[in-house]
Amino acid sequence: MRKQLNYDEVLHTMRLSNSDELVQQGTLLLTLVHEVMEEKSLNKQDFIFTQYDEGHILITQVNSADKPVD
């Protein structure tokens, strides 16, 4: 089963996790998000994440209306 998450839900999931691997992956993911936010003038609400059964969280959508994303 897949679960869609927003930025704040990703943070919450990381806080509740007992897995060092999930916390490390989440930290890298959110670091990337912050770099893209800064570069493209996006907000955290512009990102949609999906958590997969095995626990991995990926960026699955970037809403960038009026903002070109390369």
Side-chain angles (χ1 to χ4, degrees):
M1 186 172 107
R2 298 180 201 177
K3 180 180 177 185
Q4 276 200 334
L5 305 170
N6 63 37
Y7 182 96
D8 293 324
E9 291 169 326
V10 171
L11 282 176
H12 183 72
T13 299
M14 288 172 58
R15 284 187 194 116
L16 294 178
S17 177
N18 292 327
S19 166
D20 288 341
E21 182 180 351
L22 178 64
V23 172
Q24 289 173 350
Q25 288 177 358
T27 300
L28 287 172
L29 181 70
L30 295 181
T31 298
L32 172 66
V33 166
H34 279 268
E35 289 174 3
V36 172
M37 285 169 47
E38 199 171 290
E39 181 181 321
K40 302 294 181 183
S41 298
L42 298 173
N43 300 308
K44 66 181 185 180
Q45 296 86 359
D46 293 324
F47 293 85
I48 304 287
F49 305 86
T50 299
Q51 183 174 25
Y52 293 88
D53 290 339
E54 58 277 353
H56 298 294
I57 300 172
L58 301 175
I59 301 168
T60 50
Q61 184 175 339
V62 179
N63 298 321
S64 60
D66 302 328
K67 301 172 192 165
V69 176
D70 297 329

